[in-house]
Amino acid sequence: DTGVSQDPRHKITKRGQNVTFRCDPISEHNRLYWYRQTLGQGPEFLTYFQNEAQLEKSRLLSDRFSAERPKGSFSTLEIQRTEQGDSAMYLCASSPIQGQYFGPGTRLTVT
Amino acid sequence: RKEVEQDPGPFNVPEGATVAFNCTYSNSASQSFFWYRQDCRKEPKLLMSVYSSGNEDGRFTAQLNRASQYISLLIRDSKLSDSATYLCAVHQAGTALIFGKGTTLSVSS
């Protein structure tokens, strides 16, 4: 499978715990994006990497959130001290130049 | 005003019907436009890019009207398998896609 992959697919955590998600983009795509989607909403942009450089962050990305793409390949998104409002689908997408291709997402439930 | 707006529907149509969705955007500097399809609890999948000249892919036709700041998606001869949520996305200066909330289509036999 040469598409975008994400791990884990589902995560249930207790409020206050830290969680980390991984995204492996399509190998020839140098742009990588993180989005968050809640029920009834479209995906909302969180952050963007070109190669290993984090070039843009949304105001949605509070200081509890951090993302890395250390070698310009896979990326991680960490949420510290999770809150119930963090419950959502976290989507990763990669892009050549036009259009973005999404992974299957990580569904986070904070109890 | 939301940056990208769509009628949430649902649009309930019989098989074989023609259905059209519109999406309006507020930023006139928007540069690229896309339609995505999203099935329940799945990721969005790129359906079509939208060009000023309009573009067609089989039963699907997308159009862009820059003057009125809207894009449209027309589906002809609807199939049961077309049932999904259709998201429009707008790419402004910079890199993020701005999505609408999606329009739900239900095709019945």
Side-chain angles (χ1 to χ4, degrees), chain A residues 66-85:
Chain A
S66 62
E68 294 183 341
R69 194 182 183 197
K71 296 181 181 178
S73 56
F74 72 92
S75 176
T76 58
L77 177 68
E78 181 183 17
I79 309 175
Q80 296 182 326
R81 305 182 303 281
T82 51
E83 302 173 355
Q84 287 187 318

Side-chain angles (χ1 to χ4, degrees), chain A residues 10 31 33 35 37 40-45 48 56 89 91 97-105 107, chain B residues 2 32-34 36 38 41-46 49 87 91 93-102:
Chain A
H10 303 273
R31 300 181 183 193
Y33 308 81
Y35 292 83
Q37 186 175 25
Q41 304 293 318
E44 296 174 295
F45 170 73
Y48 154 69
E56 192 174 343
M89 174 78 90
L91 292 160
I97 298 176
Q98 284 277 348
Q100 296 180 15
Y101 299 85
F102 284 85
R107 185 170 297 280
Chain B
K2 299 279 186 186
S32 308
F33 308 88
F34 305 91
Y36 281 79
Q38 187 169 29
R41 301 181 74 82
K42 300 283 190 179
E43 73 274 21
K45 291 191 186 295
L46 181 61
S49 300
L87 297 160
H91 194 187
T95 56
L97 284 176
I98 310 298
F99 284 87
K101 291 186 177 183

Side-chain angles (χ1 to χ4, degrees), chain B residues 3-107:
Chain B
E3 290 193 73
V4 179
E5 292 198 71
Q6 297 181 250
D7 180 346
F11 284 62
N12 298 305
V13 302
E15 276 186 291
T18 296
V19 62
F21 310 135
N22 283 336
C23 169
T24 58
Y25 60 94
S26 60
N27 190 334
S28 59
S30 298
Q31 299 174 334
S32 308
F33 308 88
F34 305 91
W35 283 103
Y36 281 79
R37 171 195 168 123
Q38 187 169 29
D39 293 293
C40 188
R41 301 181 74 82
K42 300 283 190 179
E43 73 274 21
K45 291 191 186 295
L46 181 61
L47 184 65
M48 300 176 75
S49 300
V50 188
Y51 304 114
S52 298
S53 55
N55 47 304
E56 187 173 312
D57 183 2
R59 299 182 292 108
F60 297 82
T61 300
Q63 293 195 314
L64 165 64
N65 185 318
R66 284 192 183 271
S68 300
Q69 294 183 204
Y70 75 84
I71 64 173
S72 64
L73 178 67
L74 181 78
I75 305 175
R76 291 182 299 277
D77 189 22
S78 299
K79 312 290 185 191
L80 293 174
S81 58
D82 294 333
S83 298
T85 296
Y86 291 83
L87 297 160
C88 71
V90 173
H91 194 187
Q92 298 169 357
T95 56
L97 284 176
I98 310 298
F99 284 87
K101 291 186 177 183
T103 297
T104 300
L105 172 65
S106 178
V107 181

